[in-house]
Amino acid sequence: MSVYEIAVTRRSIRRFKDKAVPYEALEKCLNAGRLAPCGRNHQVCEYIVINDAEVLPGVFENIGGSVKMPPEKGGPRPEQSPKAYIIILINKTWEEDANRRRISLYDVGMAAENIILVAYEQGLGTCPILMFHENNLKPVLNIPDEYDIALVIAMGYPDESPVAEVATDSVEGWLDDKLVRHVPKRKLEDIVHHNRF
Ligand SMILES: Cc1cc2nc3c(=O)[nH]c(=O)nc-3n(C[C@H](O)[C@H](O)[C@H](O)COP(=O)(O)O)c2cc1C
């Protein structure tokens, strides 16, 4: 797959096969995150990679959104829950002042997309998750005070095949009667302005 094909066919995955993710695949994702563009090359992002079956449930308990919907609403059955996570942390001691956070969040986004695309290249599905309980997750994962959790990326081999479609009246995702997730995306001509707005 070309980078373009990867970028346009990737969809967020919330139901995963009951199959472990090899550490080598996760390490490739982490390395792609490490080398992502970052403001002033300050590299405030650090990562927790989780693939231990004993640690996974403690993360799942503390995330939210569609990945926690009941199965009849497109969420995972227990055996379809994520099989790995990469959690992006911001090391606050590397942020020179409070104004740096705005830049750090761009860094997180850049690293996250590298991770997500390299995961997809290796056959892995991902779902970025901002709905997490930071105060609960930090003790579960022994995260020290000088770190903030910026993003949780759920990972595993996909057990669903969501489809992108052209948005008409709404951009709200929906499930059909076979529980296929449909993801409406705005048309290029509706969002691109040529030369002047
Ligand atoms: C910053 C960000 C936060 C997100 N947070 C969540 C989340 O908490 N739970 C969830 O199930 N999906 C979450 N998502 C996934 C989005 O719902 C998904 O990207 C969107 O519906 C478009 O679908 P697509 O990724 O298949 O193109 C998040 C995505 C982004 C970029």
Side-chain angles (χ1 to χ4, degrees):
M1 266 193 294
S2 67
V3 175
Y4 178 72
E5 284 167 327
I6 288 172
V8 301
T9 61
R10 173 219 61 85
R11 299 273 67 80
S12 290
I13 298 297
R14 299 178 179 87
R15 303 196 299 258
F16 301 93
K17 292 211 166 92
D18 197 4
K19 180 179 167 189
V21 179
Y23 182 72
E24 297 66 42
L26 297 169
E27 193 174 65
K28 266 182 102 168
C29 297
L30 291 163
N31 203 35
R34 176 179 75 91
L35 293 166
C38 57
R40 300 176 76 189
N41 199 30
H42 274 194
Q43 302 173 52
V44 301
C45 293
E46 296 186 25
Y47 307 89
I48 303 188
V49 55
I50 297 151
N51 63 346
D52 181 336
E54 288 194 4
V55 184
L56 292 171
V59 180
F60 191 63
E61 265 171 38
N62 289 300
I63 57 175
S66 304
V67 78
K68 289 297 281 290
M69 286 289 173
E72 65 277 15
K73 293 200 169 147
R77 296 191 303 273
E79 72 279 12
Q80 291 176 312
S81 59
K83 299 301 175 296
Y85 298 94
I86 290 178
I87 296 185
I88 306 184
L89 305 174
I90 294 175
N91 182 340
K92 292 188 266 187
T93 64
W94 277 71
E95 293 187 302
E96 51 277 23
D97 54 51
N99 295 331
R100 165 73 207 192
R101 183 50 58 101
R102 196 178 67 86
I103 300 171
S104 299
L105 293 174
Y106 284 102
D107 296 350
V108 169
M110 295 272 173
E113 189 67 351
N114 268 16
I115 289 167
I116 285 168
L117 298 184
V118 169
Y120 185 56
E121 184 190 29
Q122 300 179 91
L124 290 166
T126 56
C127 186
I129 293 170
L130 257 193
M131 289 178 67
F132 52 79
H133 303 291
E134 183 165 24
N135 292 342
N136 297 352
L137 257 185
K138 283 179 88 165
V140 166
L141 300 171
N142 297 339
I143 299 172
D145 287 344
E146 60 268 29
Y147 289 81
D148 286 337
I149 302 179
L151 189 70
V152 174
I153 304 176
M155 309 178 78
Y157 292 98
D159 203 12
E160 65 168 333
S161 304
V163 289
E165 61 190 21
V166 173
T168 50
D169 50 338
S170 163
V171 291
E172 225 27 70
W174 59 281
L175 290 172
D176 66 23
D177 52 10
K178 294 195 172 72
L179 293 183
V180 174
R181 202 181 303 278
H182 293 252
V183 187
K185 296 287 187 183
R186 296 171 70 194
K187 278 194 258 175
L188 209 49
E189 57 263 39
D190 291 343
I191 56 175
V192 177
H193 309 276
H194 292 272
N195 298 311
R196 289 191 181 82
F197 195 95

